[in-house]
Amino acid sequence: MIQLIDGDSARLDEVGRIMAAAFDPRYGEAWTAAQVSGMLSLPGVWLCIALTDRGAAGFALTRMIVDEAELLLLAVDPASQKRGIGATLLRSVFLRAQDRQLKRLHLEVRANNPAIKLYQGFGFERVGVRPGYYRGSDNQLHDAFSYSIDLHQSGMNSPISSCV
């Protein structure tokens, strides 16, 4: 069973642990605890944490700006992947954004990230490319794809509760 809870700066150790396990350092995608903490201090930002019987297994960090939202980070601990946690977190972001009557949801993802299948499965459409957006630990640059979805057209009606 997956339980969703609101996260705050008191849970940064769990977020950091998940991020360190989920994001390969060769791609330069992971944020520092200071970056996550700084983002959490801003208005319109929310952190949703997925708990299982093993503890924190994933999280989503999202920010709202006017009538749109951006999924900043979504990560699932590799030991908990393939159990629907990423999809549950993404549904939660959709529902919370819809509850706030937001119009669009945006995200950026490394061009060769397997999570693209998840995002496309939810109806996200690629709207752009940022060449060399990520700088990996070896200084190699990796492109980012920008995705977006119209929240009113997504048809997201899920029995999964949002993280509120």
Side-chain angles (χ1 to χ4, degrees):
M1 183 171 143
I2 303 166
Q3 177 187 5
L4 300 177
I5 62 168
D6 273 330
D8 58 24
S9 59
R11 302 196 81 118
L12 287 180
D13 286 346
E14 292 167 304
V15 168
R17 177 189 55 78
I18 294 165
M19 197 162 5
F23 292 134
D24 187 326
R26 71 181 149 170
Y27 297 115
E29 299 163 306
W31 290 20
T32 66
Q35 288 171 311
V36 175
S37 178
M39 189 58 68
L40 282 173
S41 69
L42 299 175
V45 174
W46 71 89
L47 174 65
C48 183
I49 297 177
L51 301 175
T52 67
D53 56 350
R54 297 179 183 176
F59 71 90
L61 180 66
T62 311
R63 74 173 164 185
M64 174 180 77
I65 301 173
V66 187
D67 62 352
E68 298 186 336
E70 180 182 13
L71 178 60
L72 300 169
L73 292 168
L74 186 130
V76 176
D77 187 313
S80 297
Q81 290 178 356
K82 305 296 182 198
R83 296 182 184 174
I85 294 169
T88 299
L89 285 163
L90 192 52
R91 278 189 204 96
S92 173
V93 170
F94 268 72
L95 293 172
R96 190 163 191 171
Q98 288 173 332
D99 286 348
R100 293 178 176 195
Q101 300 181 354
L102 303 180
K103 294 178 181 177
R104 294 196 72 72
L105 178 60
H106 306 275
L107 64 86
E108 289 186 337
V109 61
R110 179 178 27 88
N112 63 345
N113 189 323
I116 289 172
K117 288 180 185 178
L118 173 68
Y119 302 134
Q120 290 175 334
F122 271 75
F124 279 90
E125 295 181 1
R126 194 168 95 186
V127 295
V129 177
R130 289 186 182 225
Y133 185 75
Y134 296 106
R135 180 179 299 278
S137 59
D138 60 0
N139 280 329
Q140 185 175 351
L141 299 176
H142 304 274
D143 294 349
F145 289 157
S146 298
Y147 282 85
S148 185
I149 189 167
D150 181 329
L151 290 166
H152 299 293
Q153 301 297 320
S154 71
M156 181 57 57
N157 294 312
S158 171
I160 300 202
S161 63
S162 68
C163 195
V164 291

